[in-house]
Amino acid sequence: MAGGKLRVLQVMRAPVGGLFRHVADLTRALAEAGHEVGLVVDSLANDAQTEGKLAALQPYATLGIHRFAMPRLLGAGDLKTPFAVRKLAQVLDIDVLHGHGAKGGFYARLARIGGKAVALYTPHGGVLHFSRSSLSGRVFHRLERALMAQTGAIIFESAYAQATYSALIGQPTCPTVVIHNGLAPDEFVPVVPETDAADFVFVGELRDLKGIFVLADALVGVTRADDSPATLVMAGDGPSRAPFEARIAQLGLQQRVTLLGAQPARPTFAKGRVAIVPSLAESLPYVVLEAAAAQLPVIATSVGGIPEIFGPTSSRLVPAGDVSALAAAMQGTLDAPDAAQAEMRDRLAHIESRFSLATMADSIQALYQSVLGRA
């Protein structure tokens, strides 16, 4: 149905994190453009938060939300679900199967075998996070190579992901394109810090990979202009919360660090004056985009696709895991707030021109039509 209304089935394992944010945004945009969309999700992950997120998407998913068993690693569901998705695609007369993440991409491409639909794939980190040395990594990387013939195109969220995929799996034999995640217009409205806002704000999972222990160590010697100790507010939860709280106590930071638990990002930004993302590894984190669009100065590490977000200000990124460099960046932002604001404006202009939701959705829809035209 090239050039007209499409019937699209998006396939993902679990509706959490940046992957779900991307799928939700794309589902709404496709529906608003007149296309019909259905979702395939994991029946094994069905807590109240998951169901609430899916319920909010129901008005846009006119082809329904369908649940099948999708084990996180390899499992029995992997033998049945691809066939169930293929049957569903045939019943719904699907034009485009779009798989998200390692499992979503696996099922979508297997499901197109023997059918008329084309299959596209967005890794979202997914398979890129599997080590070559692990059994799961070797299996998934082999599957990636085997499924290339069933792939109409691969969409990468960042040039970093595109390069990493080629290095791990090999140069794709299908078309590939980089389409950055995008933000809605209301996300570019400035967030005004609260009167009693902390100096720094962190939003993310409390786990080692997010650099939280490096952040705590860096905060120790950072001070304000009046020589009072700098403060930090953190929204998030995760497996490292208990050891992180112990580290805060060990460093004597209990009065300087406030843990809020899991909270939405945008309201939390108002509780700090400078956003900080000290991750040890990332793909293309929404939190960096969101904080920059909210017009906060941002301190971040040079990992994954973050340099693509920082654009003309990428020289300000700090090395991952470097306590001294992170502390220096934090202190420098407090010592020179005008320079931090000027840098923020340069970054904002870059993001506004390249990371809009409209640009993302239009580019993906154009790719769907292009792949269907080649099929």
Side-chain angles (χ1 to χ4, degrees):
M1 200 180 293
K5 182 165 68 174
L6 301 177
R7 296 171 70 84
V8 181
L9 191 61
Q10 300 204 71
V11 186
M12 60 179 169
R13 190 184 70 83
V16 295
L19 186 156
F20 178 74
R21 158 74 196 261
H22 174 86
V23 173
D25 285 347
L26 182 56
T27 296
R28 294 186 184 99
L30 289 171
E32 289 166 0
H35 305 296
E36 294 185 84
V37 186
L39 299 178
V40 170
V41 300
D42 181 20
S43 63
L44 306 177
N46 55 357
D47 57 30
Q49 184 179 18
T50 296
E51 292 304 317
K53 289 180 177 180
L54 291 174
L57 273 185
Q58 189 70 62
Y60 304 93
T62 54
L63 297 181
I65 298 175
H66 309 271
R67 294 165 172 80
F68 300 103
M70 299 183 183
R72 183 176 180 275
L73 297 177
L74 298 174
D78 296 323
L79 302 177
K80 299 179 181 179
T81 297
F83 299 101
V85 175
R86 181 170 64 184
K87 182 177 180 180
L88 177 66
Q90 291 170 344
V91 169
L92 294 177
D93 193 27
I94 294 299
D95 299 301
V96 177
L97 285 155
H98 190 164
H100 298 267
K103 278 301 180 76
F106 172 51
Y107 295 139
R109 289 177 291 173
L110 280 178
R112 67 112 14 224
I113 297 174
K116 76 175 186 67
V118 298
L120 288 86
Y121 169 45
T122 304
H124 294 280
V127 72
L128 308 181
H129 293 158
F130 287 101
S131 168
R132 282 176 172 169
S133 62
S134 70
L135 175 61
S136 294
R138 290 194 296 273
V139 170
F140 277 113
H141 292 170
R142 189 173 293 120
L143 283 170
E144 285 291 324
R145 289 187 285 270
L147 290 171
M148 199 70 70
Q150 305 300 328
T151 310
I154 301 176
I155 302 171
F156 294 102
E157 298 168 288
S158 65
Y160 161 80
Q162 186 180 48
T164 302
Y165 186 97
S166 294
L168 276 177
I169 293 156
Q171 188 66 33
T173 56
C174 66
T176 67
V177 62
V178 175
I179 300 177
H180 290 125
N181 293 332
L183 301 179
D186 60 1
E187 294 180 275
F188 287 91
V189 175
V191 168
V192 179
E194 297 173 356
T195 304
D196 59 348
D199 298 296
F200 302 99
V201 56
F202 168 95
V203 179
E205 274 192 284
L206 297 186
R207 58 181 178 129
D208 184 67
L209 193 66
K210 295 299 182 180
I212 57 175
F213 294 96
V214 178
L215 175 56
D217 290 348
L219 180 66
V220 173
V222 180
T223 59
R224 300 167 177 160
D226 62 2
D227 289 330
S228 62
T231 56
L232 167 68
V233 63
M234 303 180 71
D237 212 335
S240 296
R241 177 159 186 158
F244 182 62
E245 288 178 328
R247 183 60 176 162
I248 290 172
Q250 183 182 35
L251 295 171
L253 298 174
Q254 299 97 317
Q255 303 305 311
R256 298 173 58 188
V257 178
T258 301
L259 301 180
L260 302 175
Q263 300 288 333
R266 190 170 172 85
T268 303
F269 291 147
K271 298 184 181 299
R273 301 183 185 281
V274 177
I276 189 157
V277 185
S279 301
L280 306 183
E282 285 288 357
S283 180
L284 192 81
Y286 269 105
V287 69
V288 177
L289 285 170
E290 291 166 339
Q295 301 185 30
L296 269 70
V298 182
I299 297 171
T301 48
S302 185
V303 296
I306 294 179
E308 294 167 58
I309 299 173
F310 264 53
T313 64
S314 60
S315 63
R316 306 296 295 175
L317 293 167
V318 301
D322 190 327
V323 173
S324 297
L326 184 61
M330 294 167 73
Q331 189 64 61
T333 301
L334 296 186
D335 290 345
D338 291 344
Q341 287 293 319
E343 180 187 321
M344 177 274 290
R345 288 189 290 272
D346 288 343
R347 188 177 304 123
L348 177 66
H350 171 73
I351 292 172
E352 285 178 324
S353 66
R354 291 169 174 81
F355 293 86
S356 75
L357 179 54
T359 297
M360 181 193 86
D362 289 349
S363 298
I364 291 175
Q365 290 177 72
L367 184 61
Y368 287 168
Q369 301 285 4
S370 174
V371 174
L372 282 165
R374 294 195 302 268

